Each structure stands twice: as C-alpha cells, then as structure tokens.
Amino acid sequence: MRDSAALLKKILGKYRLEVPVPEDIQQYAAAIKRTVLVDVYKSAGSYTVIMGIPLRIYFGVKKIGFSLSFVQSAFVAAFSSLAAVSLLSAVMYYTAVNIHKKVINDKYIGSVSEKKLSIDNSETGQAKIIRKIHSLPGADASIAQEDNKIAGIRKKSLSENIKSDIPALQKIIPINKYVGVTDFTVENLDRKISLSVTKQIRENLAAKYGNEKIIEINTGKMNNIDLMIAGSVGKLGNKIIISVKLVDMQTSRIIFVNDESADSEAELRDKCNIISGKIAKEIIGAQ
Amino acid sequence: MNKHNKFIDAYSNYFPIVLSSIYSKVGNKEDASDIAQEVFLRLFQKFDNVENVRRWLFTALKLVIKEFYRKKNMNEVDIDNFFNDISLTFVNGFRDTRIIISEAIESMDHFKDEKERILFDLIAVNNFSYSQAAVQLGMTRRQVVYKYNQIANSIIDYLRSRGIKDVEDLL
C-alpha cells in the first residue's frame, strides 16, 4: 500500500510548496487562539462578560477532539451555571439547617447550674424538672423535642460535655441516698410505652436498691431526694431511643447519661434492664 | 448571535493558517499575533459583506503586513520582497510541474469542505503535526490522519491523471 502522504510531502518539499512552521509556533498558535479572539472582540467593542465562559467551553472542547458551535457552547454554559447555582443553594441550605440544629442542641444540653427544684404532679411540672436540670432559661421546648436532640448528639458532644463538668464521673453514691424517678417523656410514640419503660426501670432499681429508696416523683413525695432519674423515649427513624439522665440534686450536676436504641418494642425490656444495671452501678457500685 | 456563531467558526478554522502565513513573512511570533488580530478584527467589521472568507483573509493579511512594516519605516521595495513569488526561482519544465502540483493542491475537488482544505494546508503546507492540526480543528488525531490520507491519495491520483504516470519520478 503506497504511502501517499509521505510521497506528497516529499513532492511539496522539492517544489518549494511548503511553508513549514516550527513546532513551538504551532503550540503558540493553539495557546493564544482564544486570547486573540477575545482581543478582537474587545477592539471591536463587542465583547461582553457573558461571552467568556462559552468561549472557554468552545475552545476547550476543540482541544479534546470535539466540536461545538458557539451557540451550543453558550447553552452548555447556561445549564452548567444553573446547575452550579442549584448545588450551591442546596449546600448552603443544608449547612444552615445543620448549624441551626447544633445551636438548638447546645442550648438545651449546655450548663447544669440548677439550684432549686419545684415539683408538681402535672406534665408541665415534669417539663420544668427536665428544663431546670439543663439550666434552660427558656421553657418553650417540649421534653420530647429536647430528648430527641440529646439522642442526636449523644455520641460525642453530650457525653464529652457532661464528663467535662464532673470531676469524678464514675462517683459511687452511698446507699442511703433517695432516688427519684420521673415519668419518661415521649416523642412520636404511644405514651404507654414511656410509662412502661419508666415503670420497668424503677422496678429494676427498686429490686436492687430497695423500694423505700426509689421514689416515684409524680406521687408528690419530693422531700429529701438525693438523686433524680429523668429520661425520654422517642422514635428516631426505625429505632426507639431511650435516653436517661441521673442527676445529683445536691450539686445539680448530671452524673450519668445513657442512651440505648431498640429496633422494636419487643427489645425495650432488654434495653431497660441494661439501663437499670448501669444506673444501679452508678448508685451502689458493682453488683 | 448567528453572526457571532459564523464568525467564531471562521476564526477558529482560519486562525492557524493565517498566523502561519504571517509568521512565515515576519518571523516574529508576537508581531505575527498582533497582525493576525488586526486581520481578524477587520474581518469581523466587514463579515456581513464577505463571501469568500479564505480569499478575503489572504488578501487582507498582505495589506496589514505592508501597513505594519510601513509603520516600522521599512522601504517599500523591501516590503514587496516579502511577497515575491518563489515560483520565479523555478525554470522551464520544473516550473510547469510546479504549476500542475499547485493546481492540484488548490483544487477543491479533493476536499469535501473548507475544513478539509484547511486541514491539508496545515499538515502539507505548514508542516503541522497531526496532533496540532487536530487541536486546531476540533478533531481527533485518528480522524485527521484518515482524512489527510484520503486527500493525499486523491491528489496523487489527480497528478497521474494529468500525465504524470510515475509520481515518484517527480522526486
């Protein structure tokens, strides 16, 4: 098979029909092509800022072996800009939402400087207990909302924040302390479930600690309470989250926090046993 | 928008050969790019009235080069020497053969469109590599090689049809 290209090249060279251009000039031509066009448009007074991106797309696509017209390049630029703006808006939205959630969480889990408790038998009274435990200045949020937030940040910030407040986190309470247990609040679940969880934990502790030492707060007997157990039961996705706090009423400090998640209501009993055991350890030492 | 579309396409196709032609005359790449910019600026201003872009560009570039060197106070005779036809150096039969070859490579019969002609000019006349020609024209290297070989075969066949039975004898 003849090599026509090579033959023709030799013929053109012999008859001085070639005007060879050095390789560096060939590369220079490719490098300045877009710039010269922009200068032409600027000199003609026809250059606009919106031409910039389509021209970059137009010449960029040529370099990789494809060809778009200028109009097609402009469409690509328009759609790309729209996609970029949409993506940026979505990122900013989700960032703002997450920051807002974190601010709310920090507000509810913050300091623990409660000095005085007042108890009544109403649901509002229980909400006040929880709120004051967390030293909240405001009182609008419901317990359920609060506990969901606790569940959301329990893995890191909650345990670290709480532990940093307590000089001796694993302090053993003398057995002669009285422990109050409030009804756990509930979020997105039947209230019977939270009452059942409260009852089971209380009964488990009573079995270990003695009935006279475990006091149901909603019965009104608040005198001489040394420790307070409060908590919540909520649904997060497909899981049921039980959050429990043990508060030293003398110092108003949270000395123990625990969260357990159950895949179903059937698992709640086991989780209550686990929580009870952990709280008992906190109260009377290892069993 | 239609004018911009057509002008930018024309600019993209002809820029490398215009720049190459200017560079071959002036020998300086910065001057060559300045002159090329001026040539295409004038094309943009008159684009609506231009029928044959290629012919217009090669006429204009000669004028702009002359103006460029007049500004540099170059002698008129010296400027004209830039454009002296090299064919004058060939004599007798060689000149005739050269004319036949020139006609062959300038005939549009070998090219499907103007873009193929530009491709041939870049590679055959200006010695652009296949890769550089591909970048300039928005084609892949494989496409450039294929098209150029097609064109070369067509030209060789044309030369044979003009009585040059053994093309290798031209060498």
Side-chain angles (χ1 to χ4, degrees):
Chain A
M1 183 178 172
R2 65 180 183 203
D3 189 352
S4 301
L7 180 60
L8 185 61
K9 185 175 176 58
K10 289 179 183 175
I11 292 171
L12 294 180
K14 182 177 173 66
Y15 288 88
R16 307 285 293 276
L17 289 163
E18 279 183 332
V19 185
V21 172
E23 192 175 335
D24 62 322
I25 301 301
Q26 296 177 24
Q27 292 169 356
Y28 178 72
I32 66 166
K33 199 172 183 180
R34 186 184 62 82
T35 308
V36 170
L37 178 62
V38 170
D39 289 341
V40 167
Y41 268 101
K42 285 180 178 175
S43 300
S46 298
Y47 183 75
T48 57
V49 174
I50 57 173
M51 289 180 75
I53 295 177
L55 283 177
R56 283 186 184 274
I57 293 173
Y58 178 85
F59 288 106
V61 164
K62 277 195 184 293
K63 284 184 182 176
I64 60 173
F66 295 98
S67 203
L68 286 178
S69 70
F70 177 69
V71 172
Q72 289 168 336
S73 301
F75 273 117
V76 170
F79 282 125
S80 301
S81 300
L82 197 62
V85 167
S86 302
L87 182 65
L88 187 63
S89 301
V91 168
M92 288 174 66
Y93 170 76
Y94 283 112
T95 302
V97 166
N98 285 334
I99 289 174
H100 176 71
K101 281 183 183 174
K102 188 178 186 310
V103 167
I104 298 295
N105 286 339
D106 288 346
K107 186 179 175 184
Y108 280 94
I109 301 300
S111 63
V112 286
S113 60
E114 176 59 38
K115 303 295 180 194
K116 181 180 174 183
L117 287 175
S118 64
I119 308 296
D120 64 42
N121 291 335
S122 67
E123 183 72 24
T124 305
Q126 292 176 3
K128 282 183 183 174
I129 292 171
I130 303 300
R131 178 171 54 77
K132 286 181 180 178
I133 285 170
H134 294 287
S135 295
L136 289 176
D140 291 335
S142 69
I143 299 300
Q145 182 184 10
E146 180 182 9
D147 284 342
N148 274 339
K149 291 181 178 84
I150 292 170
I153 62 169
R154 67 185 184 276
K155 282 197 165 60
K156 183 178 177 181
S157 63
L158 177 61
S159 58
E160 286 180 1
N161 286 341
I162 297 304
K163 284 182 182 177
S164 68
D165 276 342
I166 303 168
L169 175 64
Q170 307 304 325
K171 180 181 177 180
I172 297 175
I173 308 299
I175 200 168
N176 57 352
K177 294 281 178 130
Y178 289 92
V179 181
V181 181
T182 67
D183 281 351
F184 285 18
T185 59
V186 67
E187 173 83 26
N188 295 330
L189 283 172
D190 192 338
R191 182 154 175 74
K192 291 179 185 175
I193 295 175
S194 69
L195 292 174
S196 170
V197 166
T198 310
K199 182 183 174 190
Q200 189 177 341
I201 291 175
R202 189 175 61 245
E203 287 176 356
N204 288 347
L205 289 173
K208 290 178 180 174
Y209 203 15
N211 285 327
E212 69 280 7
K213 298 296 183 181
I214 307 299
I215 300 169
E216 222 177 317
I217 293 301
N218 60 3
T219 63
K221 295 179 184 176
M222 267 303 298
N223 294 336
N224 300 324
I225 294 296
D226 303 301
L227 302 170
M228 179 69 73
I229 297 171
S232 65
V233 183
K235 194 151 188 186
L236 201 62
N238 294 328
K239 293 193 180 288
I240 300 173
I241 309 294
I242 307 172
S243 296
V244 174
K245 294 173 280 292
L246 179 65
V247 183
D248 186 334
M249 301 302 286
Q250 302 300 320
T251 61
S252 298
R253 287 177 177 271
I254 298 176
I255 60 174
F256 176 75
V257 175
N258 185 237
D259 296 302
E260 296 290 333
S261 67
D263 291 329
S264 64
E265 289 184 33
E267 280 190 39
L268 285 177
R269 176 168 287 276
D270 289 337
K271 299 298 178 182
C272 288
N273 290 339
I274 291 171
I275 291 172
S276 306
K278 290 181 180 178
I279 293 175
K281 285 181 183 176
E282 293 300 318
I283 298 171
I284 63 172
Q287 291 289 324
Chain B
M1 184 62 95
N2 199 31
K3 177 189 173 182
H4 290 298
N5 215 26
K6 288 181 180 176
F7 173 76
I8 291 171
D9 274 347
Y11 169 88
S12 179
N13 288 335
Y14 287 104
F15 176 80
I17 56 173
V18 166
L19 185 73
S20 299
S21 295
I22 296 170
Y23 178 80
S24 68
K25 302 297 181 192
V26 305
N28 178 282
K29 62 182 181 183
E30 281 80 19
D31 289 343
S33 70
D34 289 342
I35 295 170
Q37 181 180 328
E38 179 61 27
V39 169
F40 281 102
L41 173 60
R42 295 185 187 189
L43 175 65
F44 178 76
Q45 289 166 342
K46 293 184 172 14
F47 192 70
D48 293 332
N49 300 322
V50 173
E51 289 186 6
N52 189 320
V53 174
R54 183 187 188 91
R55 192 181 305 154
W56 192 98
L57 280 171
F58 281 96
T59 305
L61 74 87
K62 285 184 186 175
L63 292 171
V64 176
I65 290 174
K66 286 186 179 180
E67 289 172 12
F68 179 81
Y69 281 105
R70 276 194 202 105
K71 285 181 187 173
K72 288 193 169 186
N73 298 319
M74 192 180 261
N75 188 297
E76 285 284 342
V77 173
D78 292 333
I79 295 173
D80 287 334
N81 283 340
F82 277 123
F83 300 99
N84 280 346
D85 192 347
I86 199 168
S87 67
L88 294 175
T89 63
F90 288 81
V91 294
N92 302 330
F94 286 106
R95 185 188 296 180
D96 294 339
T97 306
R98 191 174 186 275
I99 290 171
I100 293 172
I101 297 170
S102 294
E103 285 175 356
I105 65 176
E106 285 170 15
S107 168
M108 279 302 292
D109 293 340
H110 311 295
F111 312 107
K112 284 183 188 168
D113 52 27
E114 186 62 23
K115 201 167 183 179
E116 280 197 5
R117 187 173 182 183
I118 294 170
L119 183 153
F120 177 81
D121 284 343
L122 285 175
I123 296 172
V125 178
N126 295 132
N127 266 3
F128 268 58
S129 65
Y130 291 130
S131 300
Q132 284 296 331
V135 165
Q136 292 289 349
L137 298 174
M139 299 163 69
T140 62
R141 187 179 182 280
R142 182 178 288 186
Q143 287 174 318
V144 166
V145 170
Y146 174 76
K147 285 180 186 288
Y148 182 72
N149 280 323
Q150 296 284 93
I151 296 167
N153 286 336
S154 176
I155 293 174
I156 297 296
D157 289 341
Y158 173 83
L159 291 173
R160 290 204 170 96
S161 71
R162 290 294 303 271
I164 303 172
K165 293 210 184 310
D166 205 342
V167 177
E168 284 78 2
D169 289 344
L170 291 175
L171 300 173

